[in-house]
Amino acid sequence: MSTDIAHEEHHHGPPKGIGRWLFSTNHKDIGTMYLVFALTMLFVGGASAMYIRAELFMPGVQFMEPDFYNNMVTNHALIMVFAVVMPAAAGLANWMIPMMIGAPDMALPRLNNLSFWLLPAAAVMLILSTVVPFLPGGGSAINTGWTLYPPLSIQTGMAMDFAIFTVHILGVSSILASINIVVTILNMRAPGMTLFKMPMFCWAWLFTGLLLIIIAPVLAGGVTMLLFDRHFGTSFFDAAGGGDPVLFQHLFWFFGHPEVYVLLLPSIGVLAMIIPTFARKPLFGYNSLVGGMAILFTLGLVAWAHHQYTVGMAAGPTTWFMIITILISIPVGLMLLNFMMTMWRGAMTFETPMLFAVAIVLMFSFAGVTGIMLAVVPADLEYHDSMFVVAHFHYALIPGALMGLLAAAFYWLPKWTGNMYDERLGKIFFWWNVISFNITFFPQHFYGLAGMPRRIVDYNPAFADLNMISSLGAFAYGLSHLLFLYIVIKTVRGGVKAGNKPWEGAQIGTPGLEWDLSSPPPFHSFTTPPVVK
């Protein structure tokens, strides 16, 4: 296929103007479109979060009916997961993987174009699902949360059908993109580039792509059965007709739990590129990091029902899911150890990408600790559906996924644009972003443990003070991304030209080591730095 496209472009030239983007088969252009789409949707999903926090600023119902509040919660989650983190990670994959493995382009360039253009169509359908309830006869809003549990999702109006088709389109897009990435990594490596010589980012995406190919069809099946229950008289999940609502939960979480690792793994790959560069040391334990990803991949697929301890499962499966969930902490802890040992005795400098990398290691560790608390059945029965859970997964997904993508953007902006970003503004953004994030979500651990439920529009006035702090932090956190947008636009438009190795000897004026695109170093990577006399 690549040859056909090259042949066509030889005769007609590459498409110009808007055609360059609509019909693009160039991995860099498609990567750019993914990144721009994700950045746009970040502000849409972020706006719904600001709306939620404005409502929770004080107890009582301020300006949102309960149905609309829950619709905002649903939209926020669906947008951030499917329209921000996954497309941004796919944008990084499109841009960087062919260059990292020495491939001329992605293996399936036209499929690449299709997998991107399905995303704006899905985004339009998701936004329509919010608009439909306001139309005459539109029915109620989606008030189920992103989990779409029946029986609520069977009773909800037409907006739910839009959400189901949104999930279908997003699923097709994810599967096509994943097939493309996996095939590219397995088939398109340059001669001599064995799997164990690949940069770690490629390994991260190999596991991510395989995970998505396994789990996305299961969610598609689940929401298709939901559609049949809604319109064709079946009773897969309708207890009145002999169905089982908990069956949907199993189908959803068989997708939903590995999906967490789909969001985390690309960022782990990014950290494995950034930390060696700024520590000026080879990555510590290349093989063990690949092994950790493989174990995470395997255990992640068989731990899904720890989201369902309260549904009345038998003691046997409940114990299984608890033990597997606790075991997952081992490969995650080992990965963090790899990163810390890479930094140990390195000649570190702290440019913006490295600041984000260090912050991620610290804050994601915190998510790991609260994750162990939630893994233990008797404790989880108390914490379930409280704001403590909200705090836990935001500490997992914002440092573990979103901040990893921000670090990648600062790290590779010189590569993408040919210009260096403004380092001073980058550092201001980092501190503003990280401090406001912690002000937002740290208090939620406490009022969650004290008993405040999530997904409820009103709350006990006893939680008012902490909610006010949380909301103020959220407004500051949301605003920080406007600075990020400014930095990106400023860098795209011009600035100090980036050299061939923009991070070589960064700040300290000595020749550094640029490990980002090289094959891994020899096994004895834990060497003592030279003594400076």
Side-chain angles (χ1 to χ4, degrees), residues 363-432:
M363 291 192 295
F364 189 75
S365 306
F366 198 83
V369 172
T370 55
I372 295 293
M373 292 169 69
L374 289 163
V376 179
V377 176
D380 182 76
L381 295 177
E382 297 295 324
Y383 308 147
H384 190 83
D385 260 339
S386 73
M387 289 299 287
F388 182 81
V389 177
V390 176
H392 159 72
F393 70 69
H394 280 90
Y395 265 87
L397 292 182
I398 293 182
L402 189 58
M403 285 184 184
L405 299 170
L406 292 173
F410 283 105
Y411 186 56
W412 282 319
L413 261 175
K415 181 80 177 165
W416 298 336
T417 63
N419 303 318
M420 293 302 287
Y421 64 88
D422 186 325
E423 185 62 57
R424 188 178 63 88
L425 289 180
K427 285 181 173 164
I428 291 170
F429 168 68
F430 165 77
W431 288 110
W432 182 359

Side-chain angles (χ1 to χ4, degrees), residues 207-532:
F207 286 120
T208 303
L210 290 170
L211 259 184
L212 270 169
I213 292 164
I214 293 167
I215 64 175
V218 177
L219 179 65
V223 293
T224 305
M225 291 154 80
L226 195 58
L227 199 66
F228 273 59
D229 274 13
R230 288 170 56 79
H231 296 293
F232 300 109
T234 57
S235 293
F236 292 111
F237 312 127
D238 188 352
D244 183 3
V246 176
L247 171 61
F248 181 84
Q249 296 192 22
H250 281 287
L251 292 172
F252 178 86
W253 285 114
F254 183 80
F255 163 83
H257 185 69
E259 169 67 13
V260 173
Y261 302 109
V262 166
L263 304 176
L264 297 179
L265 280 168
S267 289
I268 291 171
V270 167
L271 288 190
M273 310 305 295
I274 290 174
I275 292 173
T277 300
F278 293 99
R280 284 165 192 77
K281 257 182 66 189
L283 180 68
F284 175 78
Y286 178 97
N287 289 7
S288 70
L289 198 54
V290 174
M293 287 182 187
I295 296 167
L296 205 61
F297 171 89
T298 309
L299 294 182
L301 281 169
V302 290
W304 73 89
H306 62 214
H307 295 269
Q308 300 167 239
Y309 288 154
T310 57
V311 301
M313 278 186 296
T318 306
T319 308
W320 157 267
F321 287 114
M322 177 171 78
I323 291 168
I324 292 296
T325 307
I326 292 168
L327 286 177
I328 286 178
S329 64
I330 297 171
V332 173
L334 286 174
M335 288 178 187
L336 293 172
L337 181 73
N338 280 73
F339 296 144
M340 288 189 282
M341 295 306 272
T342 304
M343 290 187 248
W344 176 254
R345 299 188 72 178
M348 285 201 290
T349 56
F350 294 97
E351 285 73 33
T352 309
M354 187 60 162
L355 286 173
F356 270 110
V358 174
I360 289 163
V361 169
L362 288 170
M363 291 192 295
F364 189 75
S365 306
F366 198 83
V369 172
T370 55
I372 295 293
M373 292 169 69
L374 289 163
V376 179
V377 176
D380 182 76
L381 295 177
E382 297 295 324
Y383 308 147
H384 190 83
D385 260 339
S386 73
M387 289 299 287
F388 182 81
V389 177
V390 176
H392 159 72
F393 70 69
H394 280 90
Y395 265 87
L397 292 182
I398 293 182
L402 189 58
M403 285 184 184
L405 299 170
L406 292 173
F410 283 105
Y411 186 56
W412 282 319
L413 261 175
K415 181 80 177 165
W416 298 336
T417 63
N419 303 318
M420 293 302 287
Y421 64 88
D422 186 325
E423 185 62 57
R424 188 178 63 88
L425 289 180
K427 285 181 173 164
I428 291 170
F429 168 68
F430 165 77
W431 288 110
W432 182 359
N433 189 266
V434 167
I435 291 168
S436 56
F437 162 76
N438 283 289
I439 293 170
T440 306
F441 293 105
F442 199 71
Q444 294 179 8
H445 293 99
F446 299 106
Y447 58 79
L449 289 178
M452 179 171 162
R454 65 180 179 145
R455 293 189 186 171
I456 307 287
V457 69
D458 194 8
Y459 57 88
N460 189 314
F463 306 128
D465 291 349
L466 286 173
N467 264 297
M468 203 171 280
I469 293 168
S470 207
S471 289
L472 289 170
F475 302 144
Y477 181 68
L479 283 171
S480 73
H481 294 87
L482 292 172
L483 176 58
F484 176 69
L485 180 64
Y486 173 74
I487 294 168
V488 171
I489 293 170
K490 185 168 182 265
T491 311
V492 170
R493 291 182 63 175
V496 179
K497 292 296 169 204
N500 288 337
K501 292 190 173 183
W503 301 117
E504 188 166 48
Q507 271 196 1
I508 55 175
T510 56
L513 297 171
E514 173 96 320
W515 294 103
D516 60 343
L517 296 182
S518 64
S519 57
F523 287 111
H524 303 292
S525 60
F526 194 48
T527 52
T528 308
V531 179
V532 179

Side-chain angles (χ1 to χ4, degrees), residues 74 135 212 314 476:
T74 307
L135 303 176
L212 270 169

